[in-house]
Amino acid sequence: MTDIKVAFPKPCAEPWEEMEPKGCNRHCASCDKIIHDLSAFTIDEAEELLETEDEVCVRARVKPDGVIDIASSRKAKSKRLVAVLGASATLATAACSSIGSGTISPRYQVSGSVGPFQYATKGELRTEGRKYTAHLGPNYSFKFTNLHPGTYTLSFNSFCSGDSFVKTIIVRDANVDLGKLDWEEDCIIIGVMRPADPPRRV
């Protein structure tokens, strides 16, 4: 099976629903560009789109395994359009900080990781007016430290649609290791799409 690999280096937050319809596509007033809906493109049309435009803006529905939803065609079984990680999810070095928590001594920690195609950029842990933020590391891991015992709400900010995962965490008298968190949801990305592999020079 031949995959066409693409990256999304410039995802944006402009609402698709507020854009002016242009056939199957839409016009973004913010950047004055046509946003192509990849779900209406066959694999051949998507490949041609990549070759004919220097910077093509798209709306892409990315499945949990990285495969992008496109229109069916005769070549559907032999070719796929696949999102790759890297430029799509700009993941910072692992770090954590607290807001409004004052000076506290280390208590407990909540840690874990997320699946790569959740396109999460940071996690937030909230309790009683306090918010702790953790940016995901290169292996999509997160860690919240200096936590008092209590009930916390964990959520992840994603390029897909804001807070795409919410979980209640109870911290009592030990560290909490959540392991790998996977939520089986498609991710919709609006933004620039580029070939992930550099074009070959003939």
Side-chain angles (χ1 to χ4, degrees):
M1 182 180 292
T2 303
D3 290 341
I4 299 174
K5 298 178 181 179
V6 296
F8 298 94
K10 298 180 183 179
C12 77
E14 294 297 323
W16 173 259
E17 295 76 15
E18 296 180 11
M19 297 180 187
E20 180 185 358
K22 292 287 184 181
C24 294
N25 306 312
R26 299 205 176 184
H27 176 260
C28 177
S30 177
C31 61
D32 194 25
K33 288 186 178 181
I34 295 296
I35 312 299
H36 304 274
D37 187 355
L38 288 181
S39 65
F41 284 67
T42 64
I43 188 65
D44 286 339
E45 290 169 339
E47 191 171 15
E48 183 179 350
L49 185 66
L50 282 169
E51 294 173 352
T52 55
E53 294 191 28
D54 292 332
E55 191 168 270
V56 55
C57 285
V58 300
R59 177 183 187 267
R61 179 183 292 274
V62 185
K63 298 177 182 178
D65 60 358
V67 176
I68 297 171
D69 184 32
I70 57 175
S72 60
S73 68
R74 294 178 182 177
K75 296 185 179 181
K77 293 183 179 180
S78 59
K79 276 189 178 182
R80 305 182 306 176
L81 194 62
V82 179
V84 298
L85 300 170
S88 318
T90 309
L91 304 175
T93 304
C96 70
S97 60
S98 61
I99 298 177
S101 59
T103 303
I104 59 175
S105 58
R107 299 288 182 176
Y108 303 109
Q109 70 179 33
V110 171
S111 60
S113 65
V114 301
F117 289 106
Q118 264 69 58
Y119 291 100
T121 55
K122 67 178 180 179
E124 289 187 350
L125 203 63
R126 296 173 181 265
T127 182
E128 299 177 359
R130 294 179 178 177
K131 181 176 75 171
Y132 303 83
T133 302
H135 294 277
L136 300 186
N139 58 348
Y140 317 109
S141 63
F142 59 87
K143 182 185 293 184
F144 300 92
T145 60
N146 296 335
L147 303 177
H148 284 288
T151 300
Y152 295 81
T153 300
L154 174 65
S155 64
F156 289 93
N157 186 271
S158 168
F159 286 126
C160 302
S161 56
D163 293 340
S164 55
F165 177 88
V166 178
K167 183 179 180 66
T168 299
I169 309 295
I170 298 177
V171 178
R172 289 199 177 98
D173 54 1
N175 295 333
V176 177
D177 184 358
L178 298 174
K180 182 178 178 181
L181 300 175
D182 269 315
W183 49 97
E184 293 295 323
E185 296 177 0
D186 293 349
C187 172
I188 295 179
I189 296 177
I190 295 176
V192 171
M193 178 179 73
R194 291 178 181 162
D197 299 322
R200 295 180 181 178
R201 303 195 174 207
V202 180

